[in-house]
Amino acid sequence: MPARSRHRSRLHSGSPPRVPPPPLEVLYSGEARRARDSDGASDADSEAGRGSPTPIAETVEEEMAGPNQLCIRRWTTKHVAVWLKDEGFFEYVDILCNKHRLDGITLLTLTEYDLRSPPLEIKVLGDIKRLMLSVRKLQKIHIDVLEEMGYNSDSPMSSMTPFISALQSADWLCNGELSSHDCDGPITDLNSDEYQYMNGKNKHPVRRLDPEYWKTILSCIYVFIVFGFTSFIMVIVHERVPDMQTYPPLPDIFLDSVPRIPWAFAMTEVCGMILCYIWLLVLLLHKHRSILLRRLCSLMGTVFLLRCFTMFVTSLSVPGQHLQCTGKIYGSVWEKLHRAFAIWSGFGMTLTGVHTCGDYMFSGHTVVLTMLNFFVTEYTPRSWNFLHTLSWVLNLFGIFFILAAHEHYSIDVFIAFYITTRLFLYYHTLANTRAYQQSRRARIWFPMFSFFECNVNGTVPNEYCWPFSKPAIMKRLIG
């Protein structure tokens, strides 16, 4: 019979063999006896002294007793080792008891996430599930101990809460997953003040996220550098713009079928400015504004860096005869830098007097509109339907006005929308699920993402607060 089967048979067939009590001489320390003799205690006091063991005796009793004979609060790593062997998990005694020193209390609070994640990182799925079944049986027996430590249905102190509620209702499955809750996510009273709405759907516990302002500053520096580099590439591309007589506008279904609206491109920039103001308001009121700004800068910088590459590699012909674009040759590097600074300081907008040619693949205005729209809708509650509808209307109308102004080919706008949305969704999927922690490939291909998101644990909740404290005069007036 295998070792694991022998131990399981012994565990379920009856109570384990009791260890014989230690000799009477061990229960009383020599120092205690000498103290009683020197003090000249009475016979009654001596008899009373023999009836209560000393702390050393209690320690010896605990070490000699088996796990089932002691309260789990007094289990040491040796008792946990015996329990693991009784359950058939010999191979995990060393890592759990010797290396990581699990005692009774820490064993009771063990979760499946602990087994899967560092530093344990158990790889055998069957062993993880079987070990969690044994631990949950232990938790069910010692629910009172867990509640005394604060792991109960009224406190969001730990990820053990779903285990307690499930054990109390006997609502747990054999594969280790709860029928209605996440295994490792805290579930508490949803009417509690400690809970906030996350994206407007479900309530989640308030948890502190490190703002890491220094990373946010680095991301801002990164996006400003990318914008400056983009402006310089736009100057280079303008010099290489194809001649309109030699290379006329390419066929385009939308541009060929829709007449040009002269004021449409200005309306695109108006839509972008309104979206920008909405986003700034959301950012100002959001409790985790540092993380949001860091994500916006890293995503925007990455998309525009890709845009530098695409518009530099291939120069498309001008999409409309009204643009009157001709190649401009700047005599020196200083002139190119001066022109790049003018584009950078004017944010590349025609409303600020910036006019460029050749930067068609892909549309930078579409990138900005779409990115702001997705950030506004992601970091506001789902119940804010009016704001989300307004954000999408501004995004889609801004894209339409770009095409109506014949400032970009249809493919420029489509690719810009697709790349921006995919990158936003990929970024937030990796960040919210922490999938990159389990994938070395993700850390290699997305080093900047891993750097910025390494300390953001899961989804960022939508919590709001005033960015500044109330002035003294307001405190006196309204308290």
Side-chain angles (χ1 to χ4, degrees), residues 3-14:
R4 179 172 296 184
S5 302
R6 287 201 305 272
H7 284 287
R8 292 190 181 276
S9 300
R10 187 182 66 187
L11 180 64
H12 298 291
S13 60

Side-chain angles (χ1 to χ4, degrees), residues 40 43 106-107 112 123 166-167 172 177 185 237 245 248 253 318 329 341 349 356 375 377 384 395 434 439 468-469 471:
D43 293 338
T106 53
L107 175 65
E112 185 170 329
K123 302 298 183 182
L167 291 173
W172 52 286
E177 294 182 358
V237 169
Q245 302 299 327
I253 294 177
V318 178
I329 305 299
F341 180 77
M349 298 172 60
T356 59
F375 266 91
T377 54
W384 294 13
N395 186 185
R434 312 287 289 169
S439 173
F468 310 106
S469 59

Side-chain angles (χ1 to χ4, degrees), residues 33 35-50:
R33 290 198 301 272
R36 288 196 298 272
D37 295 341
S38 61
D39 291 340
S42 61
D43 293 338
D45 293 340
S46 299
E47 291 297 330
R50 292 190 188 95

